[in-house]
Amino acid sequence: MEKGKAFLVGAGPGDVQLITVKGLEAIKKAEVILYDRLANPKLLDYAPSDCELIYCGKLPDRHVLRQEMINDLLVAKVLEGKIVVRLKGGDPGVFGRVGEEAAALAENGLSFEIVPGITSGLSAPLYAGIPVTHREFGESFAVVTAHDKSENGQPNLDWKGLATGIDTIAFYMGISNLPYISENLIKNGKSPDTPVILIQWGTFSRQQTLEGTLSNIAAKAKEVNFTNPAITLVGDIVSLREKLNWFEKKPLFGKQILLARTGTEESELARELMEHGADVIEFPKWKKISVPADQAVISRIPEYEQILFTSPESVKEFFQIIFDAGVDIRKVKADFYGCSTKSVKALNEKGFFAEVEGKMPPAGKMLIVGNSDFAQKYNHAEMFLTSIKVVDEQFTPIFNRILEEASVNTVVLPSSRAVKTIIEEGIMKEIIPQQLLKTSKIVCMGVRTGEAAIEYGIVPDKVLESPDKTAVVNCLARKESELAFV
């Protein structure tokens, strides 16, 4: 068997757009991904649908897989001839144990590449408005682990060198050792008044910060129960935050949104919400299963008067199928309709004028392309399946972990089908807690979506007349008091 190859990839600090181009390319061709807790699970959306996903996450009080087991698993999967991605939060070379994993591969004569990532010690401060170097505040910067392999986990560092020789220090995962860190820096020459900032979940919309000084930061953190994952930044440069804090001023910062997903393609709405500062959890994850093309339907293509496309994906698949079958598009005489504005847009991009389903006349020989959900509604129509869409069950435990760590405060329902999906695939399967729909703000895109939500017992906080991404962003950017029920 031909040996495979491993890519040891830095996933960046959290914001999915901060992964490198090379790292993303590795994910897109992976056959196996071993991923950590701090690698944003949204990156797994880019993996092939048949990619095997293995969770290797660690928490301070428990290990899902110990490092030795991860090394062995990495070697075993590469020996199977697989393209294996080891996806690690931040940069794999900064407290990421990439040296141990690369050594295990090298000792077994296996091929590998190391793909650097953006480390949280640099990025989390920048997302909090603090560059780690500045001509007026500091020309030296150190990254330091706040834990070591000793029994008490307290690092044995050159405290004198850190306190007197380094302007700015970033401690990784140092919350539990804050009293120890502060005490040693002060004891070795750092002023008790030196500014300190704690940055939790840096670069995520759920980013939290806590400011203080070496003399009081430990007490402040204990008072509010501040926890890891966090960066502790020590130095006068922290004072720049008041002027340069940019990320937390984005209009949707702090919004943790559950977005009901009905398609397999990347969501433009999700991307727009993230651009404006929100964290977005798209649920569920769908995958397509190909089905043989119905040749009898293909032969009757010129006879149809109306063709209704159930999704943007069905548009792309339909035209590819008839092209492969040798059908000249000029033989298609039907008027085109889409079940959503996204489907209509997909047809427009192909160069066709199309209308939404609601404007379709009741009579005429009709073909439904895509999802069979609409066959019952139009029982006089013929059905042309381009593929079967099913929920990717491999993502169920991933969603469970995401929902455990996130604090969803907003639910966006783009369509009536999305309402059905969130209930049947989320609530009824106990992946999404029913309570979440009661404690979150519910935004429905369009009147029909709002009506569908009410039928399922969901009370919307806002029903948008204009069901487009700009309207959603504008709605969520308003103050809570303005998000009144419509």
Side-chain angles (χ1 to χ4, degrees):
M1 180 184 294
E2 184 180 349
K3 291 181 181 178
K5 184 173 183 177
F7 292 84
L8 310 174
V9 176
D15 183 338
V16 291
Q17 294 184 354
L18 294 181
I19 192 170
T20 63
V21 172
K22 189 168 186 176
L24 190 58
E25 287 176 348
I27 291 172
K28 288 179 177 179
K29 64 184 178 184
E31 295 173 281
V32 181
I33 297 179
L34 284 70
Y35 65 100
D36 279 350
R37 174 194 175 213
L38 296 182
N40 191 331
K42 196 168 181 60
L43 290 170
L44 302 176
D45 277 359
Y46 295 98
S49 60
D50 57 351
C51 181
E52 181 183 5
L53 307 177
I54 301 172
Y55 183 56
C56 303
K58 303 183 185 74
L59 287 167
D61 58 343
R62 66 181 185 273
H63 291 254
V64 174
L65 287 178
R66 293 200 167 273
Q67 189 60 51
E68 296 77 11
M69 296 172 64
I70 295 172
N71 296 350
D72 292 344
L73 187 57
L74 187 58
V75 168
K77 291 296 181 181
V78 177
L79 284 172
E80 290 176 11
K82 303 287 182 63
I83 299 297
V84 183
V85 167
R86 176 73 174 101
L87 193 61
K88 309 169 77 68
D91 181 281
V94 180
F95 310 126
R97 298 190 177 183
V98 74
E100 298 169 46
E101 294 171 357
L105 292 162
E107 287 163 7
N108 284 274
L110 300 175
S111 177
F112 65 90
E113 291 187 26
I114 301 175
V115 182
I118 299 175
T119 186
S120 57
L122 298 172
S123 53
L126 281 172
Y127 269 56
I130 308 164
V132 294
T133 63
H134 191 286
R135 287 188 300 174
E136 296 178 14
F137 290 91
E139 297 178 347
S140 59
F141 168 65
V143 294
V144 182
T145 181
H147 287 270
D148 65 9
K149 296 172 70 175
S150 62
E151 188 173 334
N152 60 13
Q154 295 179 337
N156 183 20
L157 302 170
D158 178 6
W159 292 106
K160 187 71 174 178
L162 284 174
T164 60
I166 303 295
D167 297 311
T168 307
I169 312 167
F171 290 93
Y172 284 58
M173 300 295 186
I175 302 304
S176 62
N177 278 335
L178 267 178
Y180 177 76
I181 291 168
S182 300
E183 177 187 343
N184 277 280
L185 287 175
I186 293 171
K187 187 189 301 183
N188 285 276
K190 211 76 166 169
S191 167
D193 296 326
T194 302
V196 180
I197 187 170
L198 311 181
I199 310 164
Q200 180 192 64
W201 290 112
T203 79
F204 284 91
S205 187
R206 61 182 182 267
Q207 174 176 298
Q208 296 286 330
T209 59
L210 182 66
E211 294 184 63
T213 64
L214 280 178
S215 63
N216 63 22
I217 192 65
K220 283 189 169 187
K222 183 178 181 180
E223 183 180 350
V224 298
N225 194 30
F226 206 92
T227 60
N228 285 319
I231 290 293
T232 301
L233 196 72
V234 180
D236 292 336
I237 207 163
V238 171
S239 62
L240 286 172
R241 170 174 161 79
E242 184 176 354
K243 182 186 295 184
L244 305 183
N245 183 14
W246 62 275
F247 178 57
E248 294 169 24
K249 293 178 181 177
K250 286 199 167 193
L252 300 187
F253 177 78
K255 298 291 184 186
Q256 296 185 56
I257 299 172
L258 178 64
L259 175 62
R261 186 178 196 171
T262 57
T264 58
E265 300 291 327
E266 185 179 4
S267 167
E268 291 184 11
L269 174 58
R271 189 164 59 245
E272 187 78 8
L273 293 170
M274 289 188 291
E275 284 289 335
H276 286 82
D279 286 340
V280 180
I281 304 167
E282 293 183 79
F283 177 87
K285 175 72 164 64
W286 298 93
K287 65 179 180 179
K288 290 187 293 188
I289 300 174
S290 298
V291 296
D294 189 330
Q295 297 301 320
V297 171
I298 292 174
S299 68
R300 294 194 293 273
I301 287 291
E303 301 173 15
Y304 297 104
E305 298 170 75
Q306 301 163 340
I307 299 180
L308 174 64
F309 294 87
T310 64
S311 67
E313 296 94 331
S314 68
V315 174
K316 178 181 177 181
E317 292 165 356
F318 173 78
F319 288 105
Q320 186 63 55
I321 289 170
I322 66 170
F323 177 81
D324 291 343
V327 176
D328 189 333
I329 190 61
R330 289 171 294 186
K331 292 182 180 180
V332 181
K333 306 300 182 185
D335 292 325
F336 290 157
Y337 298 89
C339 288
S340 66
T341 54
K342 289 199 295 185
S343 300
V344 170
K345 183 181 177 183
L347 286 162
N348 295 158
E349 289 171 352
K350 291 284 185 182
F352 299 106
F353 180 79
E355 295 276 15
V356 291
E357 177 197 0
K359 296 185 179 181
M360 185 171 59
K365 187 168 184 178
M366 178 181 176
L367 179 67
I368 300 174
V369 177
N371 196 305
S372 59
D373 288 353
F374 289 82
Q376 187 175 1
K377 181 178 179 181
Y378 299 100
N379 52 23
H380 66 285
E382 290 190 65
M383 186 73 219
F384 184 61
L385 282 176
T386 53
S387 63
I388 298 173
K389 186 176 66 177
V390 297
V391 172
D392 191 340
E393 301 292 350
Q394 192 175 199
F395 276 75
T396 298
I398 296 172
F399 284 120
N400 287 335
R401 283 192 294 273
I402 293 173
L403 291 172
E404 278 180 14
E405 293 193 328
S407 298
V408 173
N409 51 37
T410 308
V411 176
V412 175
L413 302 171
S415 65
S416 54
R417 199 192 310 174
V419 177
K420 180 181 179 184
T421 296
I422 210 82
I423 294 296
E424 294 184 356
E425 300 296 337
I427 302 296
M428 293 176 67
K429 293 185 178 180
E430 298 184 344
I431 299 171
I432 297 173
Q434 181 127 22
Q435 186 65 19
L436 186 146
L437 295 180
K438 297 177 181 177
T439 57
S440 303
K441 296 293 182 183
I442 310 292
V443 177
C444 293
M445 297 176 64
V447 175
R448 289 178 60 188
T449 306
E451 292 170 349
I454 292 170
E455 287 177 11
Y456 277 97
I458 301 172
V459 180
D461 292 277
K462 187 71 176 178
V463 177
L464 303 177
E465 292 182 8
S466 176
D468 59 71
K469 58 188 179 184
T470 301
V472 176
V473 171
N474 290 340
C475 170
L476 295 180
R478 296 176 195 147
K479 297 176 182 178
E480 296 295 322
S481 59
E482 298 175 0
L483 196 60
F485 175 76
V486 174

